[in-house]
């Protein structure tokens, strides 16, 4: 008997189309509802004690983390929120005891996986108790910028939008009275679109999770109705097989043409990531330290960039006491405040963008630490996105 019930009928490396047989989940799901269906099975069989997912709060710009322990509550968590820029890794350490005492299932994007691996390496969380269902990720849009973009580029009141999706390279909105799509390229040329760290991100299919789910490669009569699932671990194979055996999900082999298309789209996204890295990093160029000094002079020393970074877990209170190089209360802070932070985190910065997203002074912090990390990666191992962890 496998961990999630039944012996696996799929194996690591398999690629299938999957869809839920639960009518309520199907109605709310982004595609086939495989992710939510799998969590339902995992909770019902007590393979996990709780799942950590993302759900819509007040509106679609308000993505909230949710801990679900009863499968009946899962339907409210189905669907993709592309303006959901939160990172779940640190949440596990802060609020779920690092999964040291409970078995936790988590829906993860590439940056969530990398954050979890970094925390596991630092013995802050127990990966053995964590099951990860990954979602492919083309990028997310900052909610504040999304509202401005919808007003300026779509000519629509952002409060009237009830659905958004990214499909075939377009950001599409549905609102009272119609729907409209604009190509992401056009939006980004105009300074809108995905967060800048997402444009540079090259972790599109989260293969370090147990399963990697997405819409790329779902073609034919299943297009828009099934989730493409790549099985990435034995744990993932057992979970998927158990859900199929229990009748929660149905699967069929992925169309070979679809597999080919998915690989091509992933390759194109990686090239696009390289293009943005070249553009962003060359703009920094030889004046990098000068730029960092100028930009960080706006800092109000709120410590949010430290508090929310998944590779850093210094107690902010300790920092506030000051040190040889940083005096408490000094504003703008001595440049050493930032240089010390960059020295501390840049070798393992995962380019998740949390520091930048949450900085009240709008300092492009992730750009700086990502540039330093990528420079370091030319000589050191492991490279960004290739880090592993073994107990
Ligand atoms: P559902 O059953 O609807 O479950 C969706 C799960 O995603 C839920 O657990 C929900 O809590 C979680 N979730 C929703 N929003 C977020 C968020 N912002 N961060 C973390 N978790 C979230 N697939 C592709 O093939 N190509 C892409 O370019 C692509 N881009 C994506 C970008 C984002 C920001 C997100 C969140 C997903 C993206 N996906 C992409 C994945 C795709 O949209 C579906 O999530 C996936 O196919 C699973 O579909 P489903 O019907 O099985 O999921
Ligand atoms: Fe997705 Fe990468 Fe952006 Fe994370 S950093 S939201 S994985 S594109
Ligand atoms: Fe300074 Fe921004 Fe960091 Fe706050 S989040 S300490 S303002 S750099
Ligand atoms: Fe993420 Fe910023 Fe920390 Fe890098 S420095 S891991 S981008 S929060």
């Amino acid at each position: 008997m496998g961990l999630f019930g039944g012996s696996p009928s799929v194996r690591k490396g398999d690629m299938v189309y999957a869809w839920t047989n639960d009518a309520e989940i199907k109605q709310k799901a982004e595609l086939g509802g495989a992710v939510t269906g799998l969590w339902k099975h995992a909770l019902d069989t007590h393979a996990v004690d709780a799942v950590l997912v993302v759900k819509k709060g007040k509106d679609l710009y308000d993505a909230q983390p949710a801990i679900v322990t009863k499968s009946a509550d899962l339907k409210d968590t189905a669907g993709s929120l592309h303006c959901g820029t939160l990172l779940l890794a640190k949440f596990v350490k802060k609020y779920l005891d690092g999964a040291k005492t409970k078995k936790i299932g988590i829906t993860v994007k590439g940056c969530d996986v990398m954050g979890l691996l970094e925390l596991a390496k630092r013995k802050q969380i127990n990966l053995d108790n964590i099951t990860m269902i990954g979602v492919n990720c083309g990028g997310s849009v900052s909610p504040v910028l999304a509202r401005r973009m919808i007003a300026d580029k779509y000519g629509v009141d952002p409060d009237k939008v009830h659905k958004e999706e990214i499909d075939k390279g377009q950001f599409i909105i549905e609102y009272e009275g119609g729907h409209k799509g604009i190509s992401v390229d056009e939006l980004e040329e105009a300074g809108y679109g995905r967060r800048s760290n997402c444009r540079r991100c090259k972790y599109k299919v989260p293969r370090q999770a147990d399963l990697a789910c997405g819409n790329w490669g779902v073609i034919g009569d299943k297009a828009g109705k099934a989730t493409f699932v790549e099985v990435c671990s034995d744990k993932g194979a057992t979970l998927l097989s158990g859900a199929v055996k229990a009748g929660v999900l149905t699967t069929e082999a992925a169309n070979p043409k679809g597999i080919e298309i998915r690989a091509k789209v992933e390759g194109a996204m990686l090239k696009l990531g390289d293009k943005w890295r070249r553009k962003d990093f060359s703009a920094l160029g030889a004046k990098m330290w000068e730029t960092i000094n100028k930009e960080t002079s706006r800092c109000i020393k709120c410590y949010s960039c430290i508090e929310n970074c998944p590779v850093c877990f210094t107690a902010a209170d300790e920092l506030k006491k000051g040190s040889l190089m940083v005096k408490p209360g000094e504003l703008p802070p001595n440049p050493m405040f930032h240089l010390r932070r960059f020295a501390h985190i840049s070798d393992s910065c995962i380019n998740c963008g949390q520091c930048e997203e949450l900085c009240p002074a709008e300092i492009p912090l992730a750009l700086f630490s990502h540039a330093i990390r990528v420079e370091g990666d030319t000589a050191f191992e492991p490279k960004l996105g290739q880090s592993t962890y073994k107990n």
Side-chain angles (χ1 to χ4, degrees):
M1 243 345 222
L3 180 63
F4 299 96
S7 50
S9 53
V10 289
R11 316 230 157 259
K12 188 175 163 187
D14 285 354
M15 297 187 197
V16 298
Y17 292 161
W19 57 94
T20 178
N21 296 318
D22 182 300
E24 269 187 324
I25 295 177
K26 194 179 279 184
Q27 203 204 345
K28 299 235 173 141
E30 186 69 10
L31 294 154
V35 173
T36 310
L38 285 159
W39 288 142
K40 175 178 160 51
H41 179 66
L43 280 173
D44 287 345
T45 53
H46 305 289
V48 296
D49 299 306
V51 296
L52 173 58
V53 284
V54 174
K55 74 170 189 184
K56 188 158 112 178
K58 184 176 165 290
D59 54 33
L60 53 84
Y61 314 100
D62 180 29
Q64 300 182 349
I67 299 165
V68 180
T69 52
K70 291 192 203 84
S71 65
D73 298 334
L74 276 171
K75 59 181 185 323
D76 299 328
T77 73
S80 298
L81 292 165
H82 297 96
C83 304
T85 53
L86 66 184
L87 191 86
L88 298 176
K90 202 133 186 203
F91 191 94
V92 178
K93 170 183 154 49
K94 276 190 182 173
Y95 304 108
L96 292 172
D97 190 30
K100 287 180 181 147
T101 50
K102 301 265 186 225
K103 287 175 285 169
I104 311 290
I106 315 177
T107 306
V108 288
K109 307 178 294 302
C111 49
D112 293 305
V113 180
M114 290 190 281
L116 288 166
L117 290 172
E118 292 302 324
L119 286 170
K121 281 197 268 178
R122 290 160 178 77
K123 309 279 179 228
Q124 298 300 303
I125 60 167
N126 180 8
L127 270 190
D128 287 344
N129 276 344
I130 295 179
T131 301
M132 293 187 257
I133 300 185
V135 289
N136 298 353
C137 188
S140 53
V141 183
S142 180
V144 175
L145 193 69
R147 291 180 66 91
R148 214 180 299 146
M149 172 177 91
I150 288 167
D152 293 352
K153 293 290 288 181
Y154 294 73
V156 172
D157 176 353
D159 288 327
K160 299 263 168 18
V161 177
H162 54 81
K163 190 170 164 34
E164 52 72 25
E165 61 175 326
I166 298 181
D167 191 27
K168 298 192 179 68
Q170 288 204 323
F171 186 86
I172 302 164
I173 55 166
E174 278 180 29
Y175 51 95
E176 281 172 29
H179 65 96
K180 201 171 187 176
I182 300 181
S183 96
V184 174
D185 286 345
E186 184 187 329
L187 293 169
E188 290 179 356
E189 283 307 319
Y192 298 101
R194 298 167 301 157
R195 293 183 294 161
S196 76
N197 66 300
C198 291
R199 296 173 194 174
R200 296 189 304 269
C201 174
K202 289 175 49 175
Y203 203 156
K204 299 294 155 190
V205 178
R207 294 191 176 89
Q208 282 161 309
D210 297 299
L211 297 164
C213 303
N215 59 343
W216 292 335
V218 187
I219 57 169
D221 63 341
K222 291 290 178 303
K225 296 184 194 129
T227 311
F228 191 113
V229 186
E230 178 173 347
V231 182
C232 304
S233 74
D234 294 338
K235 206 197 242 185
T238 315
L239 172 60
L240 180 58
S241 302
V244 171
K245 217 167 208 177
V248 180
L249 288 186
T250 303
T251 55
E252 67 178 35
N255 184 320
K257 185 86 196 147
I259 296 177
E260 216 177 282
I261 292 171
R262 178 176 178 263
K264 274 195 185 143
V265 180
E266 186 187 0
M269 290 301 292
L270 297 184
K271 278 197 183 138
L272 195 59
D274 278 330
K275 190 195 100 177
W276 277 106
R277 285 180 185 205
R278 275 195 302 275
K279 190 169 174 185
D280 289 358
F281 297 159
S282 61
L284 268 179
K287 293 198 171 152
M288 179 154 161
W289 295 113
E290 208 179 306
T291 310
I292 290 179
N293 205 9
K294 182 167 158 262
E295 292 278 347
T296 55
S297 66
R298 292 198 301 278
C299 173
I300 58 165
K301 234 159 109 192
C302 69
Y303 298 96
S304 171
C305 51
I306 293 165
E307 195 58 33
N308 294 292
C309 174
V311 299
C312 173
F313 45 88
T314 314
D317 285 347
E318 286 303 311
L319 290 174
K320 283 173 197 158
K321 286 180 199 157
S323 69
L324 270 178
M325 296 180 280
V326 182
K327 285 193 216 122
E330 185 189 36
L331 274 183
N334 185 296
M336 279 314 292
F337 175 76
H338 289 285
L339 291 186
R340 194 173 59 158
R341 182 178 155 268
F342 287 130
H344 167 57
I345 44 93
S346 292
D347 69 333
S348 43
C349 168
I350 57 163
N351 183 39
C352 68
Q354 292 302 301
C355 50
E356 187 165 323
E357 179 77 0
L358 299 167
C359 174
E362 299 194 351
I363 300 169
L365 295 165
L367 168 66
F368 302 147
S369 45
H370 188 206
I372 300 167
R373 169 79 202 250
V374 170
E375 178 76 13
D377 276 2
T378 57
F380 300 108
E381 298 287 345
K383 311 290 184 214
L384 180 55
Q386 292 168 14
S387 192
T388 51
Y389 172 75
K390 292 249 182 317
N391 265 325

